[in-house]
Amino acid sequence: MKSLQTDLLAQARDVLQHIWGYDDFRSQQADIVTRVAGGEDALVLMPTGGGKSLCYQVPALMRPGTAIVISPLISLMQDQVATLLQLGVRAAYLSSSLDAYEARAIESQLLDGSLDLLYMAPERLVTARTLDILQRTPIALFAIDEAHCVSQWGHDFRADYLGLSVLAEQFPQVPRLALTATADLRTRADIKRLLRLEHAEVYLSSFDRPNIFYRILPRLNALEQLTDFIRREHPNDAGIVYCLSRAKTEKVAEALQARGFPAVVYHAGLSAQEREANQTKFLREEGVIVVATIAFGMGIDKPNVRFVAHLDLPKSLEAYYQETGRAGRDGLASTVCLFYGLQDVIKHQQMLAQSEGSEEHKRHERRRIDAMLQLCETTDCRRQLLLRYFDEHMPKPCGYCDICAEPVATWDATEPARMALSAVYRTGQRYGVEYVVEVLVGKRSDRVLANQHEQLSVFGQGQALSLKSWRSLFRQLLAKGLLLVDADGFGTLRLAPECRPLLKGEVSLALRQDKDTLTAQRRTSTASRASQTLDAADQPLWLGLRALRRELALAQGVPPYVIFHDSTLMAMVEHMPLSLQEMRLIGGIGDSKLSRYGEDFLAVIRQHVDALA
Ligand code: ADP
Ligand code: ZN
């Protein structure tokens, strides 16, 4: 048994090195691959960008027969197949985008045994026709990608995934491999039950994304802050900007365009053609920014998204993690930046107050929002908090988030907080933040005078703090649940029972001192972290390699990253290989790509080296 495993591992490495040109497997990949290659089932829980695809693609090439990959989205299938074809792997997909004639051609390839991998959507698989064909074909394995789709708890439950229990019934001897980036226990249990994977080995990877730098800033002027962020940290990079409403995506995209950024919009209100065109531009061209609602992202496999910005607060940490996870799939340094403000907190509190679900549902919603707010307002390492939420313990601060890079100061806000709470109370718990702040700073506005609130003892007591500081303070009181917002839709504030100890002077309150500009200098704490910085002297070579890649991609109608990843081009710049043998040592260059593109890229490198001499 032992030697069989060792043999399988050696064989798997050989496939990895020759076909993909990678040195070795990452973390659990080796175990998973040998297990599945040996004919057993597995359930793989790995974060986005963790390297799930190789877990079934490598065994697919090691086992006799065709591997059937079940995937929910056409765009994902197309991308994967384009990538595999570049590697010289015989892959195809069956989808509703093909006409009957094309589909027949692929079916006969399958029956001929001339396919290594065949991708299809679940609804296609469960048809009598497909099942019948599969019964007549040797099958290497079934890989069920995005397996959380079987779960009602998943974010994108798909009824057609339920039909996949047919695999265990009709093909009991074929190994099944389920893969997902959603790791919570309920989803996991659903996957096991519905796909009959009770006895499968479960592989749970760390959900940390070490190449992502987390940054959260209070929002002042979102557009200015966003452009400042992109200019300073990611000029010329591809990125995603998320907004809550369609109207806002349009406005932000226009503003970015006016400032010279190549920005496109994406939301469910666009026609199918517009969506398609904008998505294609984002995938095929370099450095495009897509401004989108959360309708965008599922099925986007672009590896070199260098930043994800949120201009509104996501509704939960799950959503935040999934959306930010679209940055840096290729493992190179990437930044995510969330801008949030008082209005977000009020809006969320209001939605909670208006929610008509059961008490239990409300409690559940409150917990989710509280966790999101806690991440925003924390004065400790963001990554530690995020991972803790996903039940993962990180013993030390990460060194790679805004707070680790530049610790946040706190101030003793006990007195001003009491003053704020008392102003809410004295004005009758009938007003929103703006009004209460007017009273605190002693503004004789018409409405204050009309209410005779200039006669209150709190009137003008808070002149020592700026308007900005008061807003920050109210935001934090709301985020901490010391103040509540009514369901009336006017942002009316009310004291929460939790504020009593503070009012009575039994506890003190430390709040964060907001930093709203990008003063924090990013630093990389571990050597393993990809560094994107190129010497100025290397810039022309980098641009030359990218131009060649773009030309090759255009000629074949595929996205540039299907030819080579940024990390592979970066390694070419670093090592400047001058022969095919040297070129072969670069990560991401296997046999097929070496023979297809090696000489072309060598020519660009040689030219650059000659110019230097
Ligand atoms: P996931 O499906 O988990 O989001 P992918 O399978 O797309 O992740 O892999 C993410 C990236 O990491 C891909 O570009 C892939 O080529 C790369 N990758 C995966 N495994 C390895 C490895 N062992 N060595 C080098 N790169 C790898
Ligand atoms: Zn940190």
Side-chain angles (χ1 to χ4, degrees):
M1 189 63 199
K2 182 95 189 159
S3 74
L4 175 64
Q5 288 291 333
T6 331
D7 283 356
L8 281 175
L9 184 56
Q11 205 191 330
R13 272 215 187 93
D14 194 58
V15 169
L16 183 74
Q17 287 160 358
H18 279 277
I19 308 289
W20 276 269
Y22 294 148
D23 283 346
D24 208 344
F25 288 108
R26 282 185 191 156
S27 56
Q28 306 204 61
Q29 282 174 335
D31 284 347
I32 300 165
V33 165
T34 47
R35 185 175 182 94
V36 176
E40 288 173 79
D41 300 335
L43 170 54
V44 173
L45 309 151
M46 236 185 228
T48 309
K52 286 186 284 299
S53 323
L54 285 180
C55 296
Y56 58 85
Q57 290 170 344
V58 173
L61 300 184
M62 295 166 66
R63 290 177 62 81
T66 305
I68 307 296
V69 185
I70 293 118
S71 172
L73 289 169
I74 295 178
S75 61
L76 275 180
M77 297 192 232
Q78 288 172 333
D79 225 54
Q80 294 261 358
V81 168
T83 303
L84 288 167
L85 291 175
Q86 291 288 328
L87 300 174
V89 174
R90 302 171 306 168
Y93 61 87
L94 272 177
S95 83
S96 49
S97 65
L98 306 177
D99 61 36
Y101 181 76
E102 292 168 314
R104 292 281 147 80
I106 288 171
E107 285 169 5
S108 52
Q109 276 182 294
L110 174 67
L111 288 164
D112 287 351
S114 50
L115 284 179
D116 299 313
L117 288 105
L118 177 61
Y119 286 73
M120 65 178 83
E123 57 273 23
R124 182 108 193 181
L125 179 112
V126 299
T127 60
R129 179 187 174 84
T130 309
L131 288 173
D132 174 59
I133 295 174
L134 292 181
Q135 287 293 0
R136 294 187 277 134
T137 324
I139 300 176
L141 58 94
F142 287 109
I144 299 121
D145 207 4
E146 314 284 348
H148 59 273
C149 291
V150 299
S151 169
Q152 303 274 7
W153 305 112
H155 304 282
D156 19 64
F157 166 71
R158 299 253 316 231
D160 17 281
Y161 260 73
L162 293 180
L164 294 177
S165 56
V166 73
L167 297 178
E169 290 152 17
Q170 295 203 15
F171 306 90
Q173 70 295 353
V174 179
R176 293 188 304 285
L177 173 64
L179 309 106
T180 177
T182 307
D184 66 273
L185 286 169
R186 290 204 280 203
T187 309
R188 215 187 296 177
D190 281 355
I191 295 175
K192 279 191 179 179
R193 185 165 49 83
L194 293 159
L195 298 178
R196 309 275 165 80
L197 287 170
E198 288 91 352
H199 303 292
E201 185 77 25
V202 177
Y203 295 91
L204 175 62
S205 300
S206 165
F207 271 65
D208 183 23
R209 300 287 311 279
N211 59 315
I212 294 184
F213 185 93
Y214 293 93
R215 187 192 283 302
I216 301 182
L217 287 171
R219 188 175 57 221
L220 291 179
N221 179 334
L223 268 177
E224 291 309 318
Q225 288 174 303
L226 177 68
T227 39
D228 185 41
F229 162 67
I230 301 175
R231 282 214 179 98
R232 277 189 202 225
E233 302 196 357
H234 292 285
N236 309 316
D237 281 343
I240 306 176
V241 178
Y242 281 113
C243 306
L244 211 57
S245 71
R246 294 174 189 181
K248 188 160 168 185
T249 60
E250 307 259 357
K251 205 180 85 194
V252 171
E254 265 167 40
L256 286 177
Q257 286 157 1
R259 288 165 164 84
F261 295 102
V264 296
V265 274
Y266 191 101
H267 58 69
L270 300 177
S271 71
Q273 287 100 310
E274 283 174 296
R275 281 206 303 269
E276 171 85 25
N278 291 353
Q279 174 166 328
T280 305
K281 191 172 160 77
F282 177 67
L283 295 179
R284 303 271 162 109
E285 294 176 23
E286 312 262 17
V288 174
I289 300 169
V290 55
V291 186
T293 59
I294 53 170
F296 181 80
M298 169 77 166
I300 296 299
D301 240 348
K302 187 179 168 74
N304 58 341
V305 176
R306 290 272 75 83
F307 70 89
V308 171
H310 279 93
L311 296 190
D312 296 290
L313 194 69
K315 67 178 193 308
S316 66
L317 281 184
E318 284 88 352
Y320 174 74
Y321 209 62
Q322 193 175 48
E323 285 147 24
T324 54
R326 292 172 185 143
R329 276 173 184 256
D330 55 10
L332 298 181
S334 307
T335 317
V336 299
C337 192
L338 161 62
F339 301 95
Y340 80 110
L342 176 61
Q343 282 314 317
D344 292 307
V345 186
I346 292 177
K347 203 177 333 169
H348 279 277
Q349 295 264 11
Q350 223 154 37
M351 276 178 344
L352 266 184
Q354 289 165 350
S355 152
E356 281 169 1
S358 65
E359 277 309 308
E360 200 211 322
H361 176 77
K362 281 191 200 168
R363 257 200 308 280
H364 185 65
E365 285 299 297
R366 172 166 295 278
R367 264 201 302 273
R368 279 154 61 100
I369 290 170
D370 281 351
M372 187 68 236
L373 291 174
Q374 210 193 338
L375 179 75
C376 294
E377 304 288 3
T378 183
T379 49
D380 299 321
C381 172
R382 308 250 195 224
R383 193 181 312 267
Q384 274 186 311
L385 198 153
L386 264 173
L387 290 176
R388 198 180 322 130
Y389 183 78
F390 295 111
D391 294 321
E392 212 177 307
H393 175 66
M394 188 178 209
K396 280 192 307 211
C398 75
Y400 201 60
C401 70
D402 55 350
I403 296 183
C404 285
E406 198 181 16
V408 178
T410 57
W411 61 293
D412 181 357
T414 314
E415 270 317 308
R418 257 190 231 145
M419 218 183 275
L421 294 171
S422 123
V424 170
Y425 186 72
R426 301 271 167 224
T427 52
Q429 312 195 70
R430 282 168 39 219
Y431 300 93
V433 174
E434 294 309 316
Y435 184 88
V436 179
V437 171
E438 282 181 8
V439 172
L440 281 164
V441 300
K443 186 170 173 197
R444 294 176 182 276
S445 66
D446 292 345
R447 50 182 183 171
V448 169
L449 295 176
N451 291 325
Q452 303 189 336
H453 281 158
E454 80 283 5
Q455 294 172 17
L456 294 177
S457 59
V458 289
F459 183 80
Q461 261 194 358
Q463 278 168 352
L465 290 188
S466 68
L467 287 178
K468 207 175 101 186
S469 305
W470 277 118
R471 288 204 190 99
S472 160
L473 182 132
F474 273 96
R475 189 194 74 227
Q476 297 187 60
L477 292 178
L478 281 160
K480 286 189 183 308
L482 298 174
L483 277 176
L484 299 173
V485 177
D486 274 347
D488 60 7
F490 297 109
T492 306
L493 298 174
R494 195 157 38 86
L495 301 192
E498 286 78 9
C499 74
R500 217 162 279 145
L502 183 64
L503 274 178
K504 285 195 198 150
E506 294 166 4
V507 294
S508 59
L509 182 71
L511 292 182
R512 56 180 283 148
Q513 193 107 55
D514 281 349
K515 250 192 286 229
D516 36 47
T517 49
L518 290 172
T519 52
Q521 282 298 312
R522 292 171 48 164
R523 48 193 167 96
T524 10
S525 71
T526 53
S528 69
R529 233 150 229 158
S531 157
Q532 265 206 298
T533 43
L534 287 172
D535 280 354
D538 293 334
Q539 239 356 303
L541 176 56
W542 167 245
L543 294 178
L545 295 172
R546 289 227 303 192
L548 172 59
R549 174 175 71 173
R550 189 163 54 234
E551 205 179 296
L552 293 167
L554 264 179
Q556 300 178 57
V558 295
Y561 53 81
V562 166
I563 308 285
F564 282 130
H565 276 185
D566 285 1
S567 51
T568 303
L569 296 193
M570 211 86 86
M572 288 189 204
V573 173
E574 193 180 333
H575 301 293
M576 296 195 201
L578 294 172
S579 67
L580 284 176
Q581 288 88 322
E582 284 174 11
M583 187 73 124
R584 179 69 180 74
L585 298 177
I586 296 215
I589 307 186
D591 297 345
S592 161
K593 287 193 178 175
L594 187 70
S595 72
R596 280 185 210 207
Y597 308 125
E599 286 297 348
D600 290 346
F601 282 86
L602 277 179
V604 173
I605 298 170
R606 286 199 193 110
Q607 209 178 7
H608 176 77
V609 171
D610 288 347
L612 291 180

